[in-house]
Amino acid sequence: MPDPSSPTPSRRAALARHLRPWMLRLLPAPMHISRQEGARVVAGAVIGVLIVAWISRWMGGAMPGPWMVASLGASAVLVLGMPTSPMAQPWPVIAGSTLSALVGTACSALVTDAAVAGALAVGLAIAAMLALRCLHPPGASMALYVVLTQSDGLRLAGFPVLLDVVVLVAVAMAFHRLTGRRYPHAQHAPPAGAGPAGRFTQEDLDMALQHYNAVLDIGRADLEGLLQLAGKAAFQRTLGELRCADIMSAPVHSVTSELPLKDAWALMRKEQIKAVPVVDGRGWVVGIVTVSDFMRLAHLEAHEGIGQRLRALVTGRPQQPRTVSALMSQPVQTARQDQPVMDLVPLFSEAGHHHLPIVNAQSELVGIITQTGLVRALARAVVPA
């Protein structure tokens, strides 16, 4: 008989569904480095540790105690494998390791219980490194090592710890320079007066970091650079592929140059549009007439009302233009329907255009883009619904 206490298949399935998301979070994230970069890191670690070992063993000679500490391997991972990390820079590596050895010495001398002394050594070493801005994770292991081995931390801090990390930093500087990397790595962004960084300012980044309120294993300058690259990639994905045909208004109303002004005005009033392209018999754009053109020729500075002036204009007051050809603006700026939308931004923002006729490969009018339409399209691309 089946055990009544064992879970049924449905319960096992439900348990698996609940456990699966939790287990997926335990999977390691992919490392976005090439095989060549991985090989470079491995070679650097081997070379760095080997050179430190040779020098330490030679200088240690007949000295009692170890001539190398195991935490140097962890330091090598940071210095040679993660040279951009704030924790891998010379000051954290040298000061963090040496300071932690001294903290471990003090805890070992003042606290008799090794477990309590070890815990205090790790905690106080981290506190000291945070206060002096030299947080280096292998330093905490150094503090614990001094407590557990009852080593002479004062001597150990000078040799081999200080010697080992100084040599390791020197090797890292030479190795990264020879392999085309930068070390030490800049940890500070340009001065605040340098201007906005892309779509955000440095003050925005400061506020975000303050809100995040956690230790990041990435320098501020590198974080800003990554955000710039991510923003550029997002821009290319959302706006870089957007074409004029995607946002233009079509079909578009147009008029001929021989059309009476009153008919053009009636069309614009009826369709509630502020501009209408002027085309020839082939459908090519030869000009554009806008509400502003009507206003300009209505002599609005006169005491007569706007409505009266417009009526006089479109009804044909003597010495006033009668057809669209006399009022239209020409030549007119156009854009192709397959042209990137971002090409239009300077035309609207700097050249002062408010309406842009769109043509096809045969130069025939196929649509129109307004300044408002462009802004609306960019807003939708940047902030999707």
Side-chain angles (χ1 to χ4, degrees), residues 11 18 52 58 63 71 75 82 97 141 175 185 189 236 242 253-254 259 276 296 301 321-322 369 371 377 381:
R11 289 182 178 177
H18 284 87
V52 173
W58 172 68
M63 289 185 183
S71 63
S75 296
M82 304 169 61
S97 299
S141 67
F175 178 78
H185 198 74
Q236 292 295 334
L242 199 62
H253 298 284
S254 63
L259 187 72
V276 58
R296 175 172 50 84
E301 70 277 4
R322 295 179 178 275
I369 294 178
Q371 191 176 57

mmCIF file of all heavy atoms in Angstrom, residues 11 18 52 58 63 71 75 82 97 141 175 185 189 236 242 253-254 259 276 296 301 321-322 369 371 377 381:
data_model
loop_
_atom_site.group_PDB
_atom_site.id
_atom_site.type_symbol
_atom_site.label_atom_id
_atom_site.label_comp_id
_atom_site.label_asym_id
_atom_site.label_seq_id
_atom_site.Cartn_x
_atom_site.Cartn_y
_atom_site.Cartn_z
ATOM 1 N N ARG A 11 1.062 17.088 -5.553
ATOM 2 C CA ARG A 11 1.809 17.889 -4.578
ATOM 3 C C ARG A 11 3.271 17.992 -4.967
ATOM 4 O O ARG A 11 3.903 19.041 -4.793
ATOM 5 C CB ARG A 11 1.680 17.272 -3.187
ATOM 6 C CG ARG A 11 0.286 17.419 -2.575
ATOM 7 C CD ARG A 11 0.253 16.822 -1.189
ATOM 8 N NE ARG A 11 -1.054 16.984 -0.568
ATOM 9 C CZ ARG A 11 -1.373 16.493 0.641
ATOM 10 N NH1 ARG A 11 -0.448 15.802 1.322
ATOM 11 N NH2 ARG A 11 -2.567 16.679 1.133
ATOM 12 N N HIS A 18 7.289 25.484 -7.254
ATOM 13 C CA HIS A 18 7.719 26.509 -6.314
ATOM 14 C C HIS A 18 9.233 26.510 -6.136
ATOM 15 O O HIS A 18 9.844 27.557 -5.918
ATOM 16 C CB HIS A 18 7.049 26.293 -4.950
ATOM 17 C CG HIS A 18 5.618 26.720 -4.927
ATOM 18 N ND1 HIS A 18 4.585 25.879 -5.311
ATOM 19 C CD2 HIS A 18 5.033 27.906 -4.589
ATOM 20 C CE1 HIS A 18 3.426 26.511 -5.193
ATOM 21 N NE2 HIS A 18 3.669 27.743 -4.764
ATOM 22 N N VAL A 52 55.902 36.635 -6.971
ATOM 23 C CA VAL A 52 55.825 36.956 -5.550
ATOM 24 C C VAL A 52 56.453 35.843 -4.723
ATOM 25 O O VAL A 52 57.203 36.102 -3.754
ATOM 26 C CB VAL A 52 54.369 37.197 -5.118
ATOM 27 C CG1 VAL A 52 54.287 37.350 -3.603
ATOM 28 C CG2 VAL A 52 53.804 38.439 -5.790
ATOM 29 N N TRP A 58 63.082 34.072 -1.501
ATOM 30 C CA TRP A 58 64.480 34.520 -1.505
ATOM 31 C C TRP A 58 64.761 35.468 -0.344
ATOM 32 O O TRP A 58 65.786 35.369 0.343
ATOM 33 C CB TRP A 58 64.778 35.194 -2.839
ATOM 34 C CG TRP A 58 66.128 35.859 -2.876
ATOM 35 C CD1 TRP A 58 67.351 35.242 -2.862
ATOM 36 C CD2 TRP A 58 66.374 37.266 -2.895
ATOM 37 N NE1 TRP A 58 68.354 36.186 -2.879
ATOM 38 C CE2 TRP A 58 67.784 37.442 -2.901
ATOM 39 C CE3 TRP A 58 65.544 38.388 -2.925
ATOM 40 C CZ2 TRP A 58 68.372 38.700 -2.925
ATOM 41 C CZ3 TRP A 58 66.132 39.632 -2.959
ATOM 42 C CH2 TRP A 58 67.530 39.788 -2.961
ATOM 43 N N MET A 63 64.369 33.164 7.790
ATOM 44 C CA MET A 63 63.410 33.754 8.733
ATOM 45 C C MET A 63 62.408 32.703 9.180
ATOM 46 O O MET A 63 61.951 31.878 8.371
ATOM 47 C CB MET A 63 62.659 34.922 8.082
ATOM 48 C CG MET A 63 63.505 36.159 7.853
ATOM 49 S SD MET A 63 62.468 37.512 7.216
ATOM 50 C CE MET A 63 63.694 38.774 6.947
ATOM 51 N N SER A 71 46.124 34.109 1.481
ATOM 52 C CA SER A 71 45.189 35.130 1.000
ATOM 53 C C SER A 71 45.719 35.844 -0.223
ATOM 54 O O SER A 71 44.962 36.533 -0.926
ATOM 55 C CB SER A 71 44.903 36.149 2.104
ATOM 56 O OG SER A 71 46.088 36.839 2.463
ATOM 57 N N SER A 75 43.881 37.786 -3.498
ATOM 58 C CA SER A 75 44.277 39.109 -3.976
ATOM 59 C C SER A 75 44.666 39.063 -5.451
ATOM 60 O O SER A 75 44.379 40.007 -6.209
ATOM 61 C CB SER A 75 45.447 39.642 -3.142
ATOM 62 O OG SER A 75 45.079 39.831 -1.787
ATOM 63 N N MET A 82 40.363 41.164 -12.037
ATOM 64 C CA MET A 82 39.340 42.203 -11.966
ATOM 65 C C MET A 82 40.009 43.546 -11.726
ATOM 66 O O MET A 82 39.763 44.214 -10.713
ATOM 67 C CB MET A 82 38.342 41.882 -10.845
ATOM 68 C CG MET A 82 37.689 40.520 -10.974
ATOM 69 S SD MET A 82 36.781 40.028 -9.490
ATOM 70 C CE MET A 82 35.560 41.327 -9.384
ATOM 71 N N SER A 97 45.199 44.695 3.329
ATOM 72 C CA SER A 97 45.842 43.457 3.787
ATOM 73 C C SER A 97 46.683 43.703 5.032
ATOM 74 O O SER A 97 46.610 42.949 6.018
ATOM 75 C CB SER A 97 46.716 42.885 2.668
ATOM 76 O OG SER A 97 45.942 42.582 1.528
ATOM 77 N N SER A 141 40.246 37.698 5.559
ATOM 78 C CA SER A 141 40.794 36.355 5.788
ATOM 79 C C SER A 141 42.161 36.434 6.450
ATOM 80 O O SER A 141 42.543 35.550 7.232
ATOM 81 C CB SER A 141 40.890 35.596 4.468
ATOM 82 O OG SER A 141 41.863 36.182 3.616
ATOM 83 N N PHE A 175 52.117 43.756 -15.874
ATOM 84 C CA PHE A 175 51.397 42.764 -16.682
ATOM 85 C C PHE A 175 50.257 43.409 -17.459
ATOM 86 O O PHE A 175 50.081 43.157 -18.655
ATOM 87 C CB PHE A 175 50.872 41.650 -15.783
ATOM 88 C CG PHE A 175 50.085 40.602 -16.526
ATOM 89 C CD1 PHE A 175 50.726 39.625 -17.263
ATOM 90 C CD2 PHE A 175 48.695 40.606 -16.490
ATOM 91 C CE1 PHE A 175 50.004 38.649 -17.948
ATOM 92 C CE2 PHE A 175 47.965 39.649 -17.173
ATOM 93 C CZ PHE A 175 48.629 38.663 -17.912
ATOM 94 N N HIS A 185 43.245 51.593 -12.028
ATOM 95 C CA HIS A 185 42.097 52.020 -12.814
ATOM 96 C C HIS A 185 41.452 53.221 -12.158
ATOM 97 O O HIS A 185 41.270 53.260 -10.939
ATOM 98 C CB HIS A 185 41.086 50.878 -12.903
ATOM 99 C CG HIS A 185 40.090 51.042 -14.004
ATOM 100 N ND1 HIS A 185 40.400 50.867 -15.328
ATOM 101 C CD2 HIS A 185 38.776 51.378 -13.972
ATOM 102 C CE1 HIS A 185 39.333 51.077 -16.060
ATOM 103 N NE2 HIS A 185 38.340 51.393 -15.259
ATOM 104 N N ALA A 189 34.835 59.873 -11.416
ATOM 105 C CA ALA A 189 34.255 60.427 -12.642
ATOM 106 C C ALA A 189 34.855 61.800 -12.890
ATOM 107 O O ALA A 189 35.478 62.398 -12.008
ATOM 108 C CB ALA A 189 32.737 60.522 -12.504
ATOM 109 N N GLN A 236 19.811 52.547 -29.907
ATOM 110 C CA GLN A 236 19.856 51.910 -31.212
ATOM 111 C C GLN A 236 18.689 50.938 -31.393
ATOM 112 O O GLN A 236 18.130 50.810 -32.479
ATOM 113 C CB GLN A 236 21.187 51.167 -31.392
ATOM 114 C CG GLN A 236 22.386 52.086 -31.495
ATOM 115 C CD GLN A 236 22.345 52.951 -32.740
ATOM 116 O OE1 GLN A 236 21.736 52.593 -33.739
ATOM 117 N NE2 GLN A 236 22.991 54.098 -32.676
ATOM 118 N N LEU A 242 13.933 53.145 -36.145
ATOM 119 C CA LEU A 242 12.683 53.823 -36.461
ATOM 120 C C LEU A 242 12.851 54.664 -37.722
ATOM 121 O O LEU A 242 13.775 55.478 -37.821
ATOM 122 C CB LEU A 242 12.279 54.712 -35.284
ATOM 123 C CG LEU A 242 10.808 55.150 -35.207
ATOM 124 C CD1 LEU A 242 9.906 53.944 -35.057
ATOM 125 C CD2 LEU A 242 10.620 56.110 -34.038
ATOM 126 N N HIS A 253 -2.824 65.263 -47.342
ATOM 127 C CA HIS A 253 -3.514 66.225 -48.202
ATOM 128 C C HIS A 253 -2.482 67.102 -48.910
ATOM 129 O O HIS A 253 -1.506 67.537 -48.302
ATOM 130 C CB HIS A 253 -4.477 67.087 -47.393
ATOM 131 C CG HIS A 253 -5.560 66.304 -46.733
ATOM 132 N ND1 HIS A 253 -6.638 65.806 -47.419
ATOM 133 C CD2 HIS A 253 -5.713 65.923 -45.437
ATOM 134 C CE1 HIS A 253 -7.430 65.155 -46.583
ATOM 135 N NE2 HIS A 253 -6.888 65.209 -45.376
ATOM 136 N N SER A 254 -2.708 67.382 -50.171
ATOM 137 C CA SER A 254 -1.803 68.235 -50.931
ATOM 138 C C SER A 254 -2.625 69.115 -51.875
ATOM 139 O O SER A 254 -3.810 68.852 -52.135
ATOM 140 C CB SER A 254 -0.808 67.388 -51.733
ATOM 141 O OG SER A 254 -1.490 66.586 -52.682
ATOM 142 N N LEU A 259 -3.948 76.309 -57.444
ATOM 143 C CA LEU A 259 -5.187 76.329 -56.659
ATOM 144 C C LEU A 259 -5.394 77.701 -56.034
ATOM 145 O O LEU A 259 -4.463 78.294 -55.489
ATOM 146 C CB LEU A 259 -5.120 75.268 -55.561
ATOM 147 C CG LEU A 259 -6.409 75.043 -54.765
ATOM 148 C CD1 LEU A 259 -7.443 74.309 -55.630
ATOM 149 C CD2 LEU A 259 -6.122 74.261 -53.496
ATOM 150 N N VAL A 276 0.088 72.376 -45.724
ATOM 151 C CA VAL A 276 -0.273 71.481 -46.814
ATOM 152 C C VAL A 276 0.818 71.559 -47.889
ATOM 153 O O VAL A 276 1.202 72.647 -48.327
ATOM 154 C CB VAL A 276 -1.664 71.843 -47.398
ATOM 155 C CG1 VAL A 276 -1.704 73.260 -47.905
ATOM 156 C CG2 VAL A 276 -2.059 70.859 -48.493
ATOM 157 N N ARG A 296 1.211 85.800 -42.194
ATOM 158 C CA ARG A 296 2.237 86.772 -42.565
ATOM 159 C C ARG A 296 1.736 87.714 -43.644
ATOM 160 O O ARG A 296 1.979 88.928 -43.599
ATOM 161 C CB ARG A 296 3.487 86.019 -43.044
ATOM 162 C CG ARG A 296 4.587 86.915 -43.582
ATOM 163 C CD ARG A 296 5.838 86.101 -43.845
ATOM 164 N NE ARG A 296 5.553 84.917 -44.627
ATOM 165 C CZ ARG A 296 5.465 84.910 -45.963
ATOM 166 N NH1 ARG A 296 5.598 86.037 -46.628
ATOM 167 N NH2 ARG A 296 5.224 83.782 -46.619
ATOM 168 N N GLU A 301 -0.109 93.440 -38.370
ATOM 169 C CA GLU A 301 0.193 94.633 -37.592
ATOM 170 C C GLU A 301 -0.844 95.726 -37.798
ATOM 171 O O GLU A 301 -0.868 96.712 -37.072
ATOM 172 C CB GLU A 301 1.591 95.154 -37.968
ATOM 173 C CG GLU A 301 1.692 95.765 -39.360
ATOM 174 C CD GLU A 301 1.880 94.711 -40.453
ATOM 175 O OE1 GLU A 301 1.842 93.512 -40.095
ATOM 176 O OE2 GLU A 301 2.046 95.093 -41.611
ATOM 177 N N PRO A 321 -2.010 88.135 -53.382
ATOM 178 C CA PRO A 321 -1.876 86.906 -54.171
ATOM 179 C C PRO A 321 -3.186 86.152 -54.214
ATOM 180 O O PRO A 321 -3.947 86.128 -53.251
ATOM 181 C CB PRO A 321 -0.790 86.134 -53.416
ATOM 182 C CG PRO A 321 -0.799 86.689 -52.036
ATOM 183 C CD PRO A 321 -1.167 88.126 -52.185
ATOM 184 N N ARG A 322 -3.430 85.518 -55.330
ATOM 185 C CA ARG A 322 -4.691 84.790 -55.510
ATOM 186 C C ARG A 322 -4.513 83.287 -55.528
ATOM 187 O O ARG A 322 -5.453 82.559 -55.245
ATOM 188 C CB ARG A 322 -5.357 85.232 -56.815
ATOM 189 C CG ARG A 322 -5.787 86.704 -56.829
ATOM 190 C CD ARG A 322 -6.410 87.080 -58.162
ATOM 191 N NE ARG A 322 -6.870 88.460 -58.162
ATOM 192 C CZ ARG A 322 -8.053 88.855 -57.714
ATOM 193 N NH1 ARG A 322 -8.902 87.957 -57.232
ATOM 194 N NH2 ARG A 322 -8.404 90.125 -57.752
ATOM 195 N N ILE A 369 5.344 64.643 -41.708
ATOM 196 C CA ILE A 369 5.662 64.528 -40.282
ATOM 197 C C ILE A 369 5.671 65.924 -39.690
ATOM 198 O O ILE A 369 6.309 66.834 -40.219
ATOM 199 C CB ILE A 369 7.022 63.849 -40.061
ATOM 200 C CG1 ILE A 369 6.979 62.387 -40.518
ATOM 201 C CG2 ILE A 369 7.421 63.906 -38.579
ATOM 202 C CD1 ILE A 369 8.304 61.666 -40.372
ATOM 203 N N GLN A 371 6.145 68.472 -36.160
ATOM 204 C CA GLN A 371 6.988 68.539 -34.970
ATOM 205 C C GLN A 371 6.338 67.810 -33.800
ATOM 206 O O GLN A 371 6.987 67.070 -33.065
ATOM 207 C CB GLN A 371 7.236 70.006 -34.611
ATOM 208 C CG GLN A 371 8.300 70.225 -33.550
ATOM 209 C CD GLN A 371 8.558 71.707 -33.331
ATOM 210 O OE1 GLN A 371 7.644 72.469 -33.015
ATOM 211 N NE2 GLN A 371 9.797 72.123 -33.498
ATOM 212 N N ALA A 377 6.268 60.389 -31.236
ATOM 213 C CA ALA A 377 6.885 59.120 -31.623
ATOM 214 C C ALA A 377 8.126 58.828 -30.781
ATOM 215 O O ALA A 377 8.342 57.690 -30.349
ATOM 216 C CB ALA A 377 7.261 59.145 -33.114
ATOM 217 N N ALA A 381 8.834 55.699 -28.106
ATOM 218 C CA ALA A 381 9.984 54.807 -28.243
ATOM 219 C C ALA A 381 10.799 54.755 -26.958
ATOM 220 O O ALA A 381 11.308 53.705 -26.568
ATOM 221 C CB ALA A 381 10.859 55.264 -29.397
#
